[in-house]
Amino acid sequence: MRPSRGSAVRTVVLVVAVGGVLAGCASDSGSGAELSSTDVAGEWTEVDSDPPVYLELGDDNALSGSDGCNQLSGTWEVDGTEVDFSDLAATMMACEDVETWLNGAESATIDGGTMTVLGDGDKELGTLEKSE
């Protein structure tokens, strides 16, 4: 038996709707969304920090930056909805009146242009904004 024209139209509409929902779930960065390297690579800075606090995440998965006092280096990789930092090393300069929170980074989440940096036990350390 051949399906009716109305049934075929409903099936096409349903397939298009489900495709749209799935495409929305896979959109560029966002809370709980799968990340891609292009969502992550680039420079991330703490707004209005002086001295500058930043991470530069290279296309080659290299990480460099500064916690406002010490220079940082290491690597990064996307792990689903998070960014994992590894081999993070920092110089050991003593700087007065500088919060060196960034050197405790272990991972991060990204929601749009905001990176939430997480430390031991997924404790929130601070946020960085993606530079244009």
PDB file of all heavy atoms in Angstrom, residues 101 104-108 116-126:
ATOM      1  N   TRP A 101      46.318  33.097  39.838  1.00  0.00           N
ATOM      2  CA  TRP A 101      45.355  31.997  39.785  1.00  0.00           C
ATOM      3  C   TRP A 101      45.493  31.129  38.549  1.00  0.00           C
ATOM      4  O   TRP A 101      45.214  29.935  38.584  1.00  0.00           O
ATOM      5  CB  TRP A 101      43.927  32.535  39.887  1.00  0.00           C
ATOM      6  CG  TRP A 101      43.527  33.477  38.781  1.00  0.00           C
ATOM      7  CD1 TRP A 101      43.659  34.838  38.790  1.00  0.00           C
ATOM      8  CD2 TRP A 101      42.952  33.143  37.531  1.00  0.00           C
ATOM      9  NE1 TRP A 101      43.192  35.372  37.617  1.00  0.00           N
ATOM     10  CE2 TRP A 101      42.751  34.348  36.814  1.00  0.00           C
ATOM     11  CE3 TRP A 101      42.575  31.943  36.920  1.00  0.00           C
ATOM     12  CZ2 TRP A 101      42.192  34.395  35.542  1.00  0.00           C
ATOM     13  CZ3 TRP A 101      42.022  31.985  35.651  1.00  0.00           C
ATOM     14  CH2 TRP A 101      41.837  33.197  34.982  1.00  0.00           C
ATOM     15  N   GLY A 104      47.209  27.533  38.218  1.00  0.00           N
ATOM     16  CA  GLY A 104      46.573  26.327  38.755  1.00  0.00           C
ATOM     17  C   GLY A 104      45.590  25.683  37.791  1.00  0.00           C
ATOM     18  O   GLY A 104      44.866  24.758  38.150  1.00  0.00           O
ATOM     19  N   ALA A 105      45.573  26.150  36.541  1.00  0.00           N
ATOM     20  CA  ALA A 105      44.611  25.647  35.552  1.00  0.00           C
ATOM     21  C   ALA A 105      44.843  24.171  35.231  1.00  0.00           C
ATOM     22  O   ALA A 105      45.971  23.755  34.993  1.00  0.00           O
ATOM     23  CB  ALA A 105      44.704  26.473  34.280  1.00  0.00           C
ATOM     24  N   GLU A 106      43.752  23.407  35.228  1.00  0.00           N
ATOM     25  CA  GLU A 106      43.795  22.005  34.820  1.00  0.00           C
ATOM     26  C   GLU A 106      42.900  21.740  33.623  1.00  0.00           C
ATOM     27  O   GLU A 106      43.181  20.869  32.817  1.00  0.00           O
ATOM     28  CB  GLU A 106      43.404  21.096  35.980  1.00  0.00           C
ATOM     29  CG  GLU A 106      44.416  21.119  37.108  1.00  0.00           C
ATOM     30  CD  GLU A 106      44.111  20.116  38.205  1.00  0.00           C
ATOM     31  OE1 GLU A 106      43.128  19.340  38.089  1.00  0.00           O
ATOM     32  OE2 GLU A 106      44.873  20.100  39.186  1.00  0.00           O
ATOM     33  N   SER A 107      41.800  22.508  33.538  1.00  0.00           N
ATOM     34  CA  SER A 107      40.863  22.332  32.438  1.00  0.00           C
ATOM     35  C   SER A 107      40.044  23.603  32.306  1.00  0.00           C
ATOM     36  O   SER A 107      40.211  24.546  33.079  1.00  0.00           O
ATOM     37  CB  SER A 107      39.956  21.119  32.671  1.00  0.00           C
ATOM     38  OG  SER A 107      39.159  21.320  33.822  1.00  0.00           O
ATOM     39  N   ALA A 108      39.136  23.616  31.331  1.00  0.00           N
ATOM     40  CA  ALA A 108      38.277  24.784  31.132  1.00  0.00           C
ATOM     41  C   ALA A 108      37.028  24.366  30.373  1.00  0.00           C
ATOM     42  O   ALA A 108      37.019  23.359  29.662  1.00  0.00           O
ATOM     43  CB  ALA A 108      39.012  25.870  30.359  1.00  0.00           C
ATOM     44  N   THR A 116      35.800  29.463  31.182  1.00  0.00           N
ATOM     45  CA  THR A 116      35.855  29.327  32.634  1.00  0.00           C
ATOM     46  C   THR A 116      36.976  28.346  32.945  1.00  0.00           C
ATOM     47  O   THR A 116      36.921  27.180  32.554  1.00  0.00           O
ATOM     48  CB  THR A 116      34.508  28.818  33.195  1.00  0.00           C
ATOM     49  OG1 THR A 116      33.482  29.753  32.818  1.00  0.00           O
ATOM     50  CG2 THR A 116      34.560  28.685  34.709  1.00  0.00           C
ATOM     51  N   VAL A 117      38.000  28.835  33.622  1.00  0.00           N
ATOM     52  CA  VAL A 117      39.181  28.040  33.933  1.00  0.00           C
ATOM     53  C   VAL A 117      38.944  27.314  35.247  1.00  0.00           C
ATOM     54  O   VAL A 117      38.519  27.913  36.245  1.00  0.00           O
ATOM     55  CB  VAL A 117      40.436  28.940  34.020  1.00  0.00           C
ATOM     56  CG1 VAL A 117      41.668  28.107  34.359  1.00  0.00           C
ATOM     57  CG2 VAL A 117      40.634  29.692  32.706  1.00  0.00           C
ATOM     58  N   LEU A 118      39.218  26.006  35.221  1.00  0.00           N
ATOM     59  CA  LEU A 118      38.989  25.141  36.378  1.00  0.00           C
ATOM     60  C   LEU A 118      40.304  24.585  36.897  1.00  0.00           C
ATOM     61  O   LEU A 118      41.201  24.267  36.120  1.00  0.00           O
ATOM     62  CB  LEU A 118      38.057  23.986  35.987  1.00  0.00           C
ATOM     63  CG  LEU A 118      36.741  24.390  35.327  1.00  0.00           C
ATOM     64  CD1 LEU A 118      36.014  23.167  34.791  1.00  0.00           C
ATOM     65  CD2 LEU A 118      35.868  25.179  36.284  1.00  0.00           C
ATOM     66  N   GLY A 119      40.397  24.447  38.219  1.00  0.00           N
ATOM     67  CA  GLY A 119      41.577  23.888  38.857  1.00  0.00           C
ATOM     68  C   GLY A 119      41.285  22.534  39.455  1.00  0.00           C
ATOM     69  O   GLY A 119      40.357  21.824  39.026  1.00  0.00           O
ATOM     70  N   ASP A 120      42.032  22.191  40.479  1.00  0.00           N
ATOM     71  CA  ASP A 120      41.894  20.919  41.176  1.00  0.00           C
ATOM     72  C   ASP A 120      40.448  20.720  41.638  1.00  0.00           C
ATOM     73  O   ASP A 120      39.840  21.623  42.210  1.00  0.00           O
ATOM     74  CB  ASP A 120      42.849  20.898  42.373  1.00  0.00           C
ATOM     75  CG  ASP A 120      42.914  19.550  43.046  1.00  0.00           C
ATOM     76  OD1 ASP A 120      42.839  18.525  42.345  1.00  0.00           O
ATOM     77  OD2 ASP A 120      43.050  19.523  44.290  1.00  0.00           O
ATOM     78  N   GLY A 121      39.898  19.557  41.354  1.00  0.00           N
ATOM     79  CA  GLY A 121      38.530  19.240  41.749  1.00  0.00           C
ATOM     80  C   GLY A 121      37.489  20.054  41.003  1.00  0.00           C
ATOM     81  O   GLY A 121      36.386  20.257  41.500  1.00  0.00           O
ATOM     82  N   ASP A 122      37.828  20.524  39.808  1.00  0.00           N
ATOM     83  CA  ASP A 122      36.934  21.339  38.979  1.00  0.00           C
ATOM     84  C   ASP A 122      36.499  22.631  39.671  1.00  0.00           C
ATOM     85  O   ASP A 122      35.446  23.183  39.374  1.00  0.00           O
ATOM     86  CB  ASP A 122      35.706  20.548  38.518  1.00  0.00           C
ATOM     87  CG  ASP A 122      36.053  19.526  37.451  1.00  0.00           C
ATOM     88  OD1 ASP A 122      37.101  19.691  36.781  1.00  0.00           O
ATOM     89  OD2 ASP A 122      35.288  18.567  37.278  1.00  0.00           O
ATOM     90  N   LYS A 123      37.331  23.126  40.583  1.00  0.00           N
ATOM     91  CA  LYS A 123      37.050  24.396  41.251  1.00  0.00           C
ATOM     92  C   LYS A 123      37.267  25.540  40.257  1.00  0.00           C
ATOM     93  O   LYS A 123      38.287  25.603  39.576  1.00  0.00           O
ATOM     94  CB  LYS A 123      37.974  24.584  42.449  1.00  0.00           C
ATOM     95  CG  LYS A 123      37.771  25.901  43.163  1.00  0.00           C
ATOM     96  CD  LYS A 123      38.755  26.084  44.299  1.00  0.00           C
ATOM     97  CE  LYS A 123      38.569  27.462  44.886  1.00  0.00           C
ATOM     98  NZ  LYS A 123      39.679  27.833  45.738  1.00  0.00           N
ATOM     99  N   GLU A 124      36.284  26.445  40.162  1.00  0.00           N
ATOM    100  CA  GLU A 124      36.406  27.587  39.250  1.00  0.00           C
ATOM    101  C   GLU A 124      37.474  28.538  39.762  1.00  0.00           C
ATOM    102  O   GLU A 124      37.424  29.010  40.898  1.00  0.00           O
ATOM    103  CB  GLU A 124      35.078  28.316  39.122  1.00  0.00           C
ATOM    104  CG  GLU A 124      35.146  29.449  38.121  1.00  0.00           C
ATOM    105  CD  GLU A 124      33.813  30.137  37.893  1.00  0.00           C
ATOM    106  OE1 GLU A 124      32.773  29.473  37.975  1.00  0.00           O
ATOM    107  OE2 GLU A 124      33.842  31.356  37.628  1.00  0.00           O
ATOM    108  N   LEU A 125      38.470  28.816  38.886  1.00  0.00           N
ATOM    109  CA  LEU A 125      39.562  29.715  39.252  1.00  0.00           C
ATOM    110  C   LEU A 125      39.335  31.137  38.754  1.00  0.00           C
ATOM    111  O   LEU A 125      39.743  32.102  39.382  1.00  0.00           O
ATOM    112  CB  LEU A 125      40.883  29.194  38.694  1.00  0.00           C
ATOM    113  CG  LEU A 125      41.315  27.800  39.164  1.00  0.00           C
ATOM    114  CD1 LEU A 125      42.618  27.388  38.478  1.00  0.00           C
ATOM    115  CD2 LEU A 125      41.452  27.759  40.671  1.00  0.00           C
ATOM    116  N   GLY A 126      38.727  31.265  37.570  1.00  0.00           N
ATOM    117  CA  GLY A 126      38.502  32.571  36.973  1.00  0.00           C
ATOM    118  C   GLY A 126      38.002  32.425  35.549  1.00  0.00           C
ATOM    119  O   GLY A 126      37.804  31.303  35.061  1.00  0.00           O
TER     120      GLY A 126
END
